[in-house]
């Protein structure tokens, strides 16, 4: 019986240079695995692999040296241990994320929760080429959101609260963009310079800044054979309904306009950024 190597690859089993050996890519959403899952992966790698795993550049885990005849047993034992295989090929890949506001003091959004929601909504969806989501919690951009087809960066919209302010000057020193200046009796915010980092609100000892978390989206990033920085074409988004409406529109655009095996960025460049922006902004407005 002929081996369906395409189906194996679609399900995360990638052929190695060794005959009938596969490196199995696992689904690791937002870079998170619990202790039980790690034990399962360890046991599988010892029982069916070569006793080790490979950590990928996108927070993934791969178990190399899986034998062809063990594929079904490996899938079953992984599933029983709460571990899922990932995908390869032209579809939405595993969502990556930094630790976000649940762990990191700099985080502006809950990246773990958002990664899980995006994964539930889009993971494995077939498209003209692979499509990557990446989520970073703040302007430190540890996850490099702009390297992804659709990057999400956490930020804050801020507003000064005069009655709570003592004019201590901490926020002016915390602002790296020079967006905040201080007079003898007030704080001035230059919204044109503000990059939504939220350092003013996080640093204020008197809670004199009102802050609202939100999402800054970038589109068309890629880092590999083609290197391109994702472009931000929308203002900060403050609700998930709008975020997902825009993400839906981006995938619809990709599916509608891209040629087979054409990356999202290449499709945007070919069709034109004006057309892309028009469709994305229409989705943003609802």
């Amino acid at each position: 019986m002929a081996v369906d190597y395409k189906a194996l690859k679609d399900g995360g089993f990638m052929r190695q240079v060794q005959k009938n050996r596969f490196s199995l890519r696992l689904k690791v959403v937002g870079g998170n695995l619990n202790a039980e899952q790690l034990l399962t992966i360890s046991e599988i790698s010892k029982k069916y692999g070569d006793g080790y795993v490979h950590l990928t550049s996108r927070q993934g885990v791969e178990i190399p040296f899986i034998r062809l005849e063990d594929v079904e047993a490996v899938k079953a034992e992984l599933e029983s241990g709460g571990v899922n295989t990932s995908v390869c090929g032209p579809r939405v890949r595993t969502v990556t994320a930094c630790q976000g506001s649940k762990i990191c003091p700099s985080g502006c959004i809950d990246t773990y929760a958002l990664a899980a929601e995006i994964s539930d909504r889009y993971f494995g969806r077939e498209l003209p080429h692979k499509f990557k989501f990446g989520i970073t919690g703040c302007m430190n951009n540890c996850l490099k959101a702009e390297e992804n087809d659709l990057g999400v960066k956490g930020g804050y919209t801020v507003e000064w609260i005069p009655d709570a302010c003592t004019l201590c000057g901490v926020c002016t020193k915390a602002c790296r963009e020079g967006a905040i200046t201080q007079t003898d009796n007030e704080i001035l915010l230059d919204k044109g310079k503000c990059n939504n980092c939220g350092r003013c609100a996080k640093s204020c000892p008197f809670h004199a800044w009102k802050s609202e978390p939100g999402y800054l989206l970038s589109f068309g990033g890629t880092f590999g054979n083609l290197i391109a920085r994702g472009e931000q074409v929308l203002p900060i988004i403050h609700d998930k309904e709008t975020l997902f409406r825009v993400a839906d529109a981006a995938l619809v655009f990709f599916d509608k306009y891209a040629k087979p095996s054409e990356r999202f960025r290449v499709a945007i460049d070919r069709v034109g950024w004006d057309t892309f922006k028009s469709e994305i902004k229409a989705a943003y407005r609802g």
Side-chain angles (χ1 to χ4, degrees), residues 115-243:
E117 291 179 66
I118 289 176
S119 181
D120 289 343
R121 190 179 183 103
Y122 301 117
F123 175 73
R125 175 172 169 174
E126 294 193 4
L127 292 165
H129 207 305
K130 61 186 173 184
F131 194 97
K132 299 175 181 179
F133 285 90
I135 309 168
T136 197
C138 70
M139 290 300 155
N140 290 334
N141 203 13
C142 296
L143 197 93
K144 304 176 182 65
E146 290 86 359
E147 290 183 1
N148 293 271
D149 296 285
L150 201 164
V152 182
K153 187 184 296 181
Y156 281 144
T157 297
V158 296
E159 181 182 346
W160 179 54
I161 307 173
D163 291 344
C165 184
T166 65
L167 297 174
C168 68
V170 169
C171 60
T172 61
K173 295 175 182 177
C175 180
R176 295 171 174 172
E177 304 302 312
I180 298 175
T181 54
Q182 180 177 337
T183 69
D184 290 339
N185 55 14
E186 66 178 339
I187 297 292
L188 302 174
L189 173 65
D190 185 339
K191 293 185 178 181
K193 292 182 178 179
C194 178
N195 70 347
N196 304 108
C197 71
R199 285 174 57 84
C200 53
K202 286 180 177 290
S203 66
C204 180
F206 301 103
H207 308 291
W209 287 93
K210 178 183 177 182
S211 59
E212 182 180 5
Y215 314 99
L216 293 156
L217 307 188
S218 57
F219 303 90
T222 180
F223 201 85
N225 291 320
L226 171 67
I227 297 176
R229 180 186 176 92
E231 302 291 337
Q232 183 182 331
V233 301
L234 298 173
I236 190 169
I237 294 171
H238 290 292
D239 64 282
K240 286 183 179 177
E241 180 182 354
T242 302
L243 185 154

Side-chain angles (χ1 to χ4, degrees), residues 35 83 120 149 261 276:
V83 180
D120 289 343
D149 296 285
S261 300
F276 176 72

Side-chain angles (χ1 to χ4, degrees), residues 52-87:
Y52 73 96
V53 300
H54 171 69
L55 303 181
T56 76
S57 61
R58 284 186 56 81
Q59 301 180 330
V61 176
E62 294 176 5
I63 307 175
F65 290 98
I66 302 296
R67 293 173 173 80
L68 177 61
E69 58 267 26
D70 292 330
V71 164
E72 294 305 320
V74 167
K75 288 164 63 176
E77 291 186 32
L78 284 171
E79 185 177 0
S80 68
V83 180
N84 296 311
T85 58
S86 190
V87 296

Side-chain angles (χ1 to χ4, degrees), residues 2 6 12 28 33 36 45 48 79 105 115 121 137 147 150 156 166 178 184 204 232 238 245 251-252 268 281:
K6 181 181 181 301
V28 183
L33 289 168
E36 289 74 19
S45 69
Y48 295 105
E79 185 177 0
R121 190 179 183 103
E147 290 183 1
L150 201 164
Y156 281 144
T166 65
D184 290 339
C204 180
Q232 183 182 331
H238 290 292
R245 193 167 63 242
L251 292 183
V252 167
I268 297 174
K281 289 178 180 179

